[in-house]
Amino acid sequence: MHLTHYQEAAGTPNLYCQAAQNSGGASERPGSFMRHCACAASQSSRTIILDYCTSPAQWYKLAPDSKGRYTDGSWSPIAPMPAGYSPLYFAQQVLPGGNVIVNGGEYNDCKLDFSDNNGALYDYTSNSWTSVSAPACWSEIGAAESIILPDGTYMLANCCDDPGQQALASISGTTVTWTTSDSWTCHIYSQECMLDDEFTPLPDGNVLLVDVNVLTDERDQYRIYDTQAGTWSEVGTTADYLNSSRTDELGPSPLTLQYGSQGTVIQFTANSTLGVNDIYSVSGNTWTSAPVLKVGSTIYDCCGAPAATLPDGNILVQARPARSIRPPVSGSSRSTRRAS
């Protein structure tokens, strides 16, 4: 998901992958700060989750109980990641063969590090990690987004270059070869074209992105990536201002095919003041305002949160009343970095 944070529903393991980050269950998962998880291919029925701020980075796998229930399953450690790479807020995908690739991230090794360009690939058959070099000339990847395209290709964004770039990966075993191309020129006020955005797969195979770094008349600009042409197009703006003005972040943007002739995308807000969420109609290519997420009279936002599409087409999302949770590191905030 940037784990992004969103995965399409594809059976119990994938759904539990999201829920396990924020609830008890499964015989109390190990560790105290679980943030990212990755679900290996359905044929292996594995869910793995990272215990952040461990060095070397320690992941755990979830196994179902004897009746196949993940809620009553058990956790056990898998091989740790390569030394020196223990990220948070990273790009991650499950590859078509069932292996897991991780790139970039922030707060590496529990330190104030916003733009890591490391990477690693997990082979579930050998229970081993292999370091993955960044695309050529990418000194930063950071909290960038990623996606598996319809043909099975892994696409990774570059967080912090101008013009922005994406890279397509050709993967053979544990060998990763990158092909990069430009996306678009950054906004005049930002040199971080594709930082903290999100790739959402559309039913026609293209990719939707709401641009957190560009505002037009107090709305967020959105773009669509044509997977056949390999190009981005500026399409228009959302219905509302969804961005977090303090940190330039958004919430997740899951797709559900349950509603509308071609489905809808809900872009959850990171704006804790307005609290409004927006809905994108795939067939109409239009945005409308969705209800404000409230608990009682308190507005909740979904800044940087995970979300999952459930089998019935509804959306499960994490939300919070204020941006008060920070990784356990010392130093200045990201908003200070952006302002510098």
Side-chain angles (χ1 to χ4, degrees):
M1 286 163 222
H2 79 219
L3 195 143
T4 336
H5 301 4
Y6 155 69
Q7 284 185 323
E8 294 182 74
T12 301
N14 284 22
L15 298 181
Y16 195 83
C17 175
Q18 295 295 346
Q21 298 180 66
N22 309 302
S23 63
S27 302
E28 289 300 317
R29 66 199 183 283
S32 59
F33 195 85
M34 301 292 190
R35 174 59 179 84
H36 279 273
C37 68
C39 303
S42 58
Q43 67 263 29
S44 64
S45 297
R46 287 178 173 85
T47 296
I48 60 175
I49 190 168
L50 172 64
D51 184 2
Y52 170 66
C53 224
T54 53
S55 184
Q58 184 61 64
W59 294 65
Y60 293 82
K61 66 180 179 180
L62 174 63
D65 68 5
S66 59
K67 297 182 179 179
R69 296 177 300 197
Y70 284 84
T71 52
D72 296 323
S74 59
W75 295 96
S76 60
I78 65 171
M81 294 184 80
Y85 187 34
S86 180
L88 180 65
Y89 306 130
F90 49 83
Q92 166 268 315
Q93 293 292 331
V94 179
L95 300 173
N99 292 338
V100 175
I101 190 167
V102 174
N103 295 99
E106 298 180 343
Y107 302 100
N108 186 42
D109 269 346
C110 209
K111 300 174 183 176
L112 194 67
D113 177 4
F114 292 109
S115 53
D116 198 285
N117 75 340
N118 288 315
L121 188 148
Y122 177 67
D123 185 332
Y124 74 91
T125 58
S126 62
N127 184 31
S128 62
W129 291 89
T130 301
S131 295
V132 174
S133 298
C137 301
W138 283 25
S139 61
E140 300 176 306
I141 297 175
E145 53 275 16
S146 65
I147 195 171
I148 301 295
L149 299 178
D151 64 358
T153 299
Y154 172 64
M155 184 168 80
L156 172 68
N158 181 320
C159 72
C160 306
D161 278 350
D162 185 8
Q165 286 196 328
Q166 62 270 328
L168 302 181
S170 174
I171 302 175
S172 176
T174 57
T175 301
V176 180
T177 304
W178 300 100
T179 302
T180 60
S181 58
D182 290 347
S183 55
W184 59 83
T185 301
C186 295
H187 190 269
I188 187 173
Y189 299 116
S190 174
Q191 286 75 50
E192 300 169 334
C193 287
M194 303 177 81
L195 175 66
D196 289 322
D197 294 325
E198 181 141 357
F199 291 154
T200 300
L202 297 176
D204 62 1
N206 293 335
V207 180
L208 174 75
L209 177 145
V210 177
D211 194 339
V212 73
N213 297 291
V214 179
L215 293 177
T216 304
D217 297 327
E218 293 302 309
R219 295 175 176 85
D220 297 285
Q221 189 176 79
Y222 75 100
R223 307 171 189 269
I224 290 180
Y225 179 75
D226 186 321
T227 54
Q228 296 298 315
T231 57
W232 288 95
S233 299
E234 296 182 11
V235 184
T237 61
T238 56
D240 299 285
Y241 178 38
L242 306 170
N243 189 355
S244 167
S245 58
R246 283 192 291 174
T247 56
D248 291 338
E249 296 188 23
L250 286 171
S253 53
L255 167 72
T256 172
L257 296 177
Q258 186 73 14
Y259 308 102
S261 61
Q262 295 183 39
T264 56
V265 174
I266 180 166
Q267 177 64 68
F268 286 100
T269 189
N271 190 318
S272 58
T273 301
L274 301 177
V276 66
N277 305 283
D278 280 3
I279 293 178
Y280 174 72
S281 168
V282 177
S283 60
N285 190 28
T286 56
W287 290 88
T288 56
S289 299
V292 173
L293 180 57
K294 290 185 177 181
V295 177
S297 60
T298 301
I299 293 176
Y300 276 58
D301 73 80
C302 304
C303 182
T309 304
L310 302 176
D312 62 4
N314 292 326
I315 305 296
L316 174 67
V317 65
Q318 180 186 17
R320 60 191 175 195
R323 187 175 175 80
S324 58
I325 301 175
R326 279 288 184 188
V329 296
S330 60
S332 59
S333 68
R334 175 188 287 175
S335 57
T336 303
R337 170 180 177 255
R338 286 181 178 269
S340 61

